[in-house]
Amino acid sequence: MEYNGSAIVAMAGENCVGIAADTRFGVRQLQTMGCQRQKLFQMTNQTFVGLAGLGTDVQTMSQLLDFRMKLYELREERSMQPQVIGNVISSMLYEKRFGPYFTEPVVAGLDKNQKPFLCAFDFIGAMSKNEEFVVSGTSSEQLYGVCESFWRPKMNKDELFETLAQCLLSAVDRDCLAGWGGVVHIITPEEIITKRLKGRMD
């Protein structure tokens, strides 16, 4: 998990949910190749998946998920709910448990009742749900600390963005494998707001 570092955090607000990730692409702490790495993937109009871990497995998982989701939409004639996406990810990871994908996904979205849904997984597919926030990646210990301090219930979309951005930037400053900027997506029933963050590049 430490070969390509990452930091992903998802957080619930009042009728909105946010997910944020760093953008560094590097090999351990030795080399940084770029700062535009995509770690968050839009699955539906109201669901994002964040993939932390080995860069090649992140790409493989995102393409497989996209394939499974399109098949589901063709067969069912409706888009996947975030809970369904969580179950699909869990089964995909568990079926490869003897040679696992080195990735720890996070799902964040709004369900059909516009209630936030958050869950995270380990790399063999064990789902962990939370109603406040979930974290993943090499910065997860640092993220837990700042999120427990900053998260509060019933945040609106602007407060949620500010909290997510500060939590991400504070955590990656203490992890040499992640950082170099970030991206935050805020999902509301009406829109998806995307903002990019500037971070330290040292």
Side-chain angles (χ1 to χ4, degrees):
M1 289 300 183
E2 286 81 31
Y3 191 79
N4 306 117
S6 51
I8 297 174
V9 54
M11 207 174 269
E14 188 171 27
N15 296 327
C16 60
V17 67
I19 185 166
D22 73 308
T23 52
R24 178 182 183 268
F25 176 53
V27 176
R28 298 194 180 93
Q29 65 266 45
L30 307 172
Q31 200 175 13
T32 300
M33 275 85 81
C35 54
Q36 295 294 322
R37 181 71 170 180
Q38 186 183 5
K39 298 174 187 178
L40 304 178
F41 302 89
Q42 185 173 351
M43 294 288 110
T44 68
N45 290 338
Q46 297 196 322
T47 308
F48 273 79
V49 171
L51 297 170
L54 188 65
T56 50
D57 285 353
V58 165
Q59 288 180 314
T60 305
M61 273 289 291
S62 70
Q63 289 166 6
L64 273 173
L65 260 175
D66 195 44
F67 168 70
R68 292 270 182 104
M69 199 187 63
K70 285 174 179 170
L71 269 184
Y72 179 94
E73 286 178 357
L74 281 169
R75 191 182 300 124
E76 302 284 332
E77 297 183 357
R78 60 196 167 115
S79 59
M80 274 192 189
Q81 292 296 305
Q83 292 91 334
V84 178
I85 292 174
N87 292 333
V88 167
I89 290 172
S90 187
S91 69
M92 281 170 64
L93 291 169
Y94 189 69
E95 72 187 19
K96 295 282 186 186
R97 63 193 177 278
F98 298 118
Y101 294 119
F102 291 106
T103 178
E104 294 178 338
V106 167
V107 176
L110 295 174
D111 64 18
K112 58 188 174 190
N113 301 318
Q114 310 304 335
K115 293 281 184 293
F117 176 84
L118 302 173
C119 68
F121 306 82
D122 66 5
F123 60 87
I124 58 164
M127 187 191 291
S128 167
K129 294 180 188 172
N130 198 314
E131 294 180 358
E132 299 172 3
F133 58 85
V134 291
V135 303
S136 184
T138 52
S139 306
S140 56
E141 288 177 10
Q142 294 90 327
L143 283 164
Y144 270 123
V146 288
C147 289
E148 282 172 357
S149 300
F150 291 146
W151 186 86
R152 55 194 171 80
K154 297 188 185 294
M155 288 187 286
N156 63 36
K157 60 186 180 183
D158 297 321
E159 293 168 328
L160 183 62
F161 164 74
E162 196 61 39
T163 305
L164 264 175
Q166 293 303 322
C167 287
L168 183 73
L169 292 173
S170 297
V172 298
D173 280 351
R174 291 162 180 81
D175 180 15
C176 65
L177 300 175
W180 284 58
V183 61
V184 181
H185 301 289
I186 305 294
I187 306 157
T188 70
E190 298 82 31
E191 59 182 344
I192 294 172
I193 303 160
T194 301
K195 295 183 181 178
R196 295 199 165 269
L197 307 174
K198 275 190 175 180
R200 287 175 58 172
M201 295 197 173
D202 57 358

